[in-house]
Amino acid sequence: MKTNIPERITALREAMIQHHIDAYIIPTSDPHMSEYPADCWKYREWISGFNGSAGTVVITAKKAGLWTDSRYFLQASTQLEGTGIDLYKLMLPETPSITEFLLSELQEGETVGLNGETYSIVEAQTLASALSKKGINVNSNLALIDPLWKDRPAIPNAPMFEMPIELSGQSVEDKIIDINKELHKAGADCTILSALDEIAWTFNIRGTDVTYNPVVISYAFISEKESVLFVNPKKLPVEIAEHLKKNGVLLADYGMLTTYLSRLPENYRVWIDGKQ
């Protein structure tokens, strides 16, 4: 795999040129901010060969670096050898942060790109604010690696299973009622859940999609009007689908979230967790 890394970096740099991007950030996280992403979202491992659980890669026209913590210094040194990617050891006084690196490498008017699905709102806004002081822009709508990763694994579709109320302690219907009470207190009309553990708790479902975490890859929308679980229908056993419907939950395909949200009424007040 290591022999392919320089070729992958070259391909990414070509894509950056096409999209007028001067630096591209590849974090570890997935669209659900999972600590352990499924194989299909291991962008950072694909571009670098480093498979530790924490790290961020930054690619510019002339430089490439991986930022990781002391748990992985030895591992990263070995796995990055010959790739053209430099190791930046986090928390050491001589190591610049990613933001400091970008400020030193880029010029006013240049642009940093990232895939917004793998960044929280808070992280993206913090980065954009810091870089704007030098006139550096951030484009968070760029999934540049997707078309380059020809053998990218599919999103896991293993069947989910139900957490019985004897173990969960509360029905799905009651949990949704409680969530809507909190939304009302906050002055919100609805909320979007993207954190997989929150979705698993709310809908009393469990799965095997993510290593070390019994969760199901999905999104959820909750409001007093309706609640929707966005999930691959292949993952839904008939009995669980029927049980969710009896609890007032609508079912939609995992990829339909954006389309659904685009149809919300104007001025609808949406509560979201900026860290997710």
Side-chain angles (χ1 to χ4, degrees), residues 2-7 9-10 13 47-49 57-66 76-88 101:
K2 186 182 294 187
T3 57
N4 296 329
I5 300 304
E7 297 175 2
I9 294 173
T10 296
R13 282 175 170 150
I47 197 65
S48 69
V57 168
V58 178
I59 306 292
T60 69
K62 296 182 178 180
K63 292 185 179 181
L66 166 76
S77 295
T78 299
Q79 293 183 325
L80 295 179
E81 187 177 355
T83 65
I85 300 174
D86 297 321
L87 173 61
Y88 289 82
F101 172 84

Side-chain angles (χ1 to χ4, degrees), residues 102-123:
L102 293 170
L103 286 170
S104 67
E105 293 295 321
L106 301 184
Q107 303 300 316
E108 181 179 355
E110 294 190 314
T111 301
V112 174
L114 55 90
N115 180 352
E117 291 187 351
T118 62
Y119 252 77
S120 72
I121 293 174
V122 169
E123 289 176 326

